[in-house]
Amino acid sequence: MGFLDLFDSGFRRRNQDHFAAIVRVAMSDGIISGQEKMFLDRLASNLYISEEDYKTILKDYASHPINPPNSYDERLERLYDLARMVYVDHHLGDKQTAMLKRFGVGLGFSPANVGYVVDKALKLVQAGVDLETFTKEIKYMNH
């Protein structure tokens, strides 16, 4: 039994749909830049997307349903994961904030406040906080 066989098909489908949604956001300007491609490569690896599925999703990302997280906590968890990947991926340079804002809107954060959420998220990730602290800090950042 291979490592991926340990995951149920629902887990793999959710990861594929999540990856396809991120590809859709990356393609919102009509192209995937070299920096975005490097980020997608890393994201695919972290989500256990096979090479074959990766190619299929890139070619036909629009056929995957958009399944935004159901709860605010799930959105924060995905934002935490994406913020950590964007922060660690220094190849993005000054585009890391813009890319994360696009992903944040794709996750369902309001375009009016996504900038504040992303700025706080990147500061928290830079400080090395865990998911629990990240979630608490984002939830109560305006209090």
Side-chain angles (χ1 to χ4, degrees), residues 21-32 36 61 102-103:
I22 298 299
V23 171
R24 186 185 307 248
V25 170
M27 284 295 294
S28 65
D29 60 359
I31 59 165
I32 294 179
E36 290 170 331
Y61 61 89
R102 288 177 29 207
F103 293 152

PDB file of all heavy atoms in Angstrom, residues 21-32 36 61 102-103:
ATOM      1  N   ALA A  21      -9.071  25.508  -7.257  1.00  0.00           N
ATOM      2  CA  ALA A  21      -9.544  26.851  -6.918  1.00  0.00           C
ATOM      3  C   ALA A  21      -8.378  27.833  -6.869  1.00  0.00           C
ATOM      4  O   ALA A  21      -8.499  28.975  -7.328  1.00  0.00           O
ATOM      5  CB  ALA A  21     -10.272  26.819  -5.568  1.00  0.00           C
ATOM      6  N   ILE A  22      -7.232  27.393  -6.356  1.00  0.00           N
ATOM      7  CA  ILE A  22      -6.054  28.260  -6.315  1.00  0.00           C
ATOM      8  C   ILE A  22      -5.547  28.517  -7.735  1.00  0.00           C
ATOM      9  O   ILE A  22      -5.156  29.641  -8.073  1.00  0.00           O
ATOM     10  CB  ILE A  22      -4.948  27.645  -5.425  1.00  0.00           C
ATOM     11  CG1 ILE A  22      -5.441  27.498  -3.986  1.00  0.00           C
ATOM     12  CG2 ILE A  22      -3.666  28.455  -5.502  1.00  0.00           C
ATOM     13  CD1 ILE A  22      -5.840  28.778  -3.297  1.00  0.00           C
ATOM     14  N   VAL A  23      -5.576  27.491  -8.587  1.00  0.00           N
ATOM     15  CA  VAL A  23      -5.184  27.677  -9.990  1.00  0.00           C
ATOM     16  C   VAL A  23      -6.121  28.682 -10.654  1.00  0.00           C
ATOM     17  O   VAL A  23      -5.683  29.561 -11.396  1.00  0.00           O
ATOM     18  CB  VAL A  23      -5.175  26.330 -10.760  1.00  0.00           C
ATOM     19  CG1 VAL A  23      -4.994  26.560 -12.256  1.00  0.00           C
ATOM     20  CG2 VAL A  23      -4.081  25.413 -10.221  1.00  0.00           C
ATOM     21  N   ARG A  24      -7.396  28.594 -10.358  1.00  0.00           N
ATOM     22  CA  ARG A  24      -8.379  29.532 -10.923  1.00  0.00           C
ATOM     23  C   ARG A  24      -8.040  30.961 -10.518  1.00  0.00           C
ATOM     24  O   ARG A  24      -8.100  31.883 -11.341  1.00  0.00           O
ATOM     25  CB  ARG A  24      -9.782  29.148 -10.445  1.00  0.00           C
ATOM     26  CG  ARG A  24     -10.895  29.959 -11.072  1.00  0.00           C
ATOM     27  CD  ARG A  24     -12.231  29.595 -10.456  1.00  0.00           C
ATOM     28  NE  ARG A  24     -12.485  28.170 -10.501  1.00  0.00           N
ATOM     29  CZ  ARG A  24     -13.426  27.589 -11.234  1.00  0.00           C
ATOM     30  NH1 ARG A  24     -14.209  28.326 -11.966  1.00  0.00           N
ATOM     31  NH2 ARG A  24     -13.594  26.294 -11.205  1.00  0.00           N
ATOM     32  N   VAL A  25      -7.661  31.160  -9.258  1.00  0.00           N
ATOM     33  CA  VAL A  25      -7.277  32.490  -8.791  1.00  0.00           C
ATOM     34  C   VAL A  25      -6.009  32.938  -9.513  1.00  0.00           C
ATOM     35  O   VAL A  25      -5.917  34.080  -9.975  1.00  0.00           O
ATOM     36  CB  VAL A  25      -7.078  32.503  -7.257  1.00  0.00           C
ATOM     37  CG1 VAL A  25      -6.458  33.810  -6.797  1.00  0.00           C
ATOM     38  CG2 VAL A  25      -8.400  32.260  -6.544  1.00  0.00           C
ATOM     39  N   ALA A  26      -5.033  32.050  -9.631  1.00  0.00           N
ATOM     40  CA  ALA A  26      -3.780  32.397 -10.322  1.00  0.00           C
ATOM     41  C   ALA A  26      -4.048  32.752 -11.784  1.00  0.00           C
ATOM     42  O   ALA A  26      -3.367  33.609 -12.352  1.00  0.00           O
ATOM     43  CB  ALA A  26      -2.785  31.243 -10.230  1.00  0.00           C
ATOM     44  N   MET A  27      -5.036  32.117 -12.378  1.00  0.00           N
ATOM     45  CA  MET A  27      -5.359  32.368 -13.793  1.00  0.00           C
ATOM     46  C   MET A  27      -6.302  33.550 -13.988  1.00  0.00           C
ATOM     47  O   MET A  27      -6.659  33.877 -15.110  1.00  0.00           O
ATOM     48  CB  MET A  27      -6.008  31.117 -14.411  1.00  0.00           C
ATOM     49  CG  MET A  27      -5.037  30.009 -14.731  1.00  0.00           C
ATOM     50  SD  MET A  27      -3.856  30.486 -16.012  1.00  0.00           S
ATOM     51  CE  MET A  27      -4.936  30.677 -17.429  1.00  0.00           C
ATOM     52  N   SER A  28      -6.688  34.219 -12.914  1.00  0.00           N
ATOM     53  CA  SER A  28      -7.659  35.307 -13.032  1.00  0.00           C
ATOM     54  C   SER A  28      -7.173  36.439 -13.932  1.00  0.00           C
ATOM     55  O   SER A  28      -7.978  37.156 -14.515  1.00  0.00           O
ATOM     56  CB  SER A  28      -8.031  35.856 -11.654  1.00  0.00           C
ATOM     57  OG  SER A  28      -6.905  36.453 -11.037  1.00  0.00           O
ATOM     58  N   ASP A  29      -5.856  36.574 -14.094  1.00  0.00           N
ATOM     59  CA  ASP A  29      -5.330  37.592 -14.994  1.00  0.00           C
ATOM     60  C   ASP A  29      -4.965  37.011 -16.365  1.00  0.00           C
ATOM     61  O   ASP A  29      -4.371  37.683 -17.193  1.00  0.00           O
ATOM     62  CB  ASP A  29      -4.121  38.297 -14.372  1.00  0.00           C
ATOM     63  CG  ASP A  29      -2.972  37.360 -14.055  1.00  0.00           C
ATOM     64  OD1 ASP A  29      -3.099  36.139 -14.288  1.00  0.00           O
ATOM     65  OD2 ASP A  29      -1.933  37.852 -13.577  1.00  0.00           O
ATOM     66  N   GLY A  30      -5.338  35.753 -16.589  1.00  0.00           N
ATOM     67  CA  GLY A  30      -5.143  35.139 -17.907  1.00  0.00           C
ATOM     68  C   GLY A  30      -3.857  34.352 -18.080  1.00  0.00           C
ATOM     69  O   GLY A  30      -3.717  33.632 -19.060  1.00  0.00           O
ATOM     70  N   ILE A  31      -2.918  34.499 -17.164  1.00  0.00           N
ATOM     71  CA  ILE A  31      -1.652  33.768 -17.277  1.00  0.00           C
ATOM     72  C   ILE A  31      -1.186  33.324 -15.899  1.00  0.00           C
ATOM     73  O   ILE A  31      -1.593  33.887 -14.877  1.00  0.00           O
ATOM     74  CB  ILE A  31      -0.526  34.621 -17.914  1.00  0.00           C
ATOM     75  CG1 ILE A  31      -0.268  35.884 -17.074  1.00  0.00           C
ATOM     76  CG2 ILE A  31      -0.835  34.989 -19.341  1.00  0.00           C
ATOM     77  CD1 ILE A  31       1.024  36.571 -17.399  1.00  0.00           C
ATOM     78  N   ILE A  32      -0.347  32.324 -15.890  1.00  0.00           N
ATOM     79  CA  ILE A  32       0.331  31.922 -14.662  1.00  0.00           C
ATOM     80  C   ILE A  32       1.785  32.325 -14.834  1.00  0.00           C
ATOM     81  O   ILE A  32       2.480  31.807 -15.713  1.00  0.00           O
ATOM     82  CB  ILE A  32       0.203  30.406 -14.414  1.00  0.00           C
ATOM     83  CG1 ILE A  32      -1.255  30.041 -14.143  1.00  0.00           C
ATOM     84  CG2 ILE A  32       1.085  29.977 -13.245  1.00  0.00           C
ATOM     85  CD1 ILE A  32      -1.503  28.569 -13.913  1.00  0.00           C
ATOM     86  N   GLU A  36       4.198  32.332  -9.927  1.00  0.00           N
ATOM     87  CA  GLU A  36       2.980  31.611  -9.568  1.00  0.00           C
ATOM     88  C   GLU A  36       3.138  30.121  -9.858  1.00  0.00           C
ATOM     89  O   GLU A  36       2.693  29.282  -9.076  1.00  0.00           O
ATOM     90  CB  GLU A  36       1.774  32.176 -10.326  1.00  0.00           C
ATOM     91  CG  GLU A  36       1.369  33.560  -9.876  1.00  0.00           C
ATOM     92  CD  GLU A  36       0.342  34.216 -10.766  1.00  0.00           C
ATOM     93  OE1 GLU A  36       0.298  33.912 -11.980  1.00  0.00           O
ATOM     94  OE2 GLU A  36      -0.421  35.052 -10.261  1.00  0.00           O
ATOM     95  N   TYR A  61      -8.899  23.435 -15.064  1.00  0.00           N
ATOM     96  CA  TYR A  61      -9.206  23.822 -13.688  1.00  0.00           C
ATOM     97  C   TYR A  61     -10.654  24.255 -13.502  1.00  0.00           C
ATOM     98  O   TYR A  61     -11.232  24.087 -12.436  1.00  0.00           O
ATOM     99  CB  TYR A  61      -8.260  24.935 -13.213  1.00  0.00           C
ATOM    100  CG  TYR A  61      -8.349  26.198 -14.029  1.00  0.00           C
ATOM    101  CD1 TYR A  61      -9.250  27.190 -13.703  1.00  0.00           C
ATOM    102  CD2 TYR A  61      -7.533  26.390 -15.138  1.00  0.00           C
ATOM    103  CE1 TYR A  61      -9.339  28.347 -14.455  1.00  0.00           C
ATOM    104  CE2 TYR A  61      -7.605  27.535 -15.884  1.00  0.00           C
ATOM    105  CZ  TYR A  61      -8.521  28.507 -15.548  1.00  0.00           C
ATOM    106  OH  TYR A  61      -8.607  29.643 -16.302  1.00  0.00           O
ATOM    107  N   ARG A 102      -5.300  37.824  -3.376  1.00  0.00           N
ATOM    108  CA  ARG A 102      -6.156  37.154  -4.367  1.00  0.00           C
ATOM    109  C   ARG A 102      -6.651  35.822  -3.830  1.00  0.00           C
ATOM    110  O   ARG A 102      -7.822  35.477  -3.977  1.00  0.00           O
ATOM    111  CB  ARG A 102      -5.402  36.962  -5.684  1.00  0.00           C
ATOM    112  CG  ARG A 102      -5.210  38.278  -6.425  1.00  0.00           C
ATOM    113  CD  ARG A 102      -4.422  38.222  -7.703  1.00  0.00           C
ATOM    114  NE  ARG A 102      -4.442  37.005  -8.453  1.00  0.00           N
ATOM    115  CZ  ARG A 102      -3.467  36.608  -9.265  1.00  0.00           C
ATOM    116  NH1 ARG A 102      -2.392  37.355  -9.401  1.00  0.00           N
ATOM    117  NH2 ARG A 102      -3.549  35.484  -9.931  1.00  0.00           N
ATOM    118  N   PHE A 103      -5.768  35.066  -3.185  1.00  0.00           N
ATOM    119  CA  PHE A 103      -6.172  33.792  -2.598  1.00  0.00           C
ATOM    120  C   PHE A 103      -7.175  34.019  -1.467  1.00  0.00           C
ATOM    121  O   PHE A 103      -8.120  33.251  -1.301  1.00  0.00           O
ATOM    122  CB  PHE A 103      -4.969  33.012  -2.080  1.00  0.00           C
ATOM    123  CG  PHE A 103      -4.034  32.540  -3.144  1.00  0.00           C
ATOM    124  CD1 PHE A 103      -2.696  32.361  -2.865  1.00  0.00           C
ATOM    125  CD2 PHE A 103      -4.469  32.268  -4.436  1.00  0.00           C
ATOM    126  CE1 PHE A 103      -1.812  31.910  -3.840  1.00  0.00           C
ATOM    127  CE2 PHE A 103      -3.597  31.826  -5.418  1.00  0.00           C
ATOM    128  CZ  PHE A 103      -2.263  31.648  -5.120  1.00  0.00           C
TER     129      PHE A 103
END
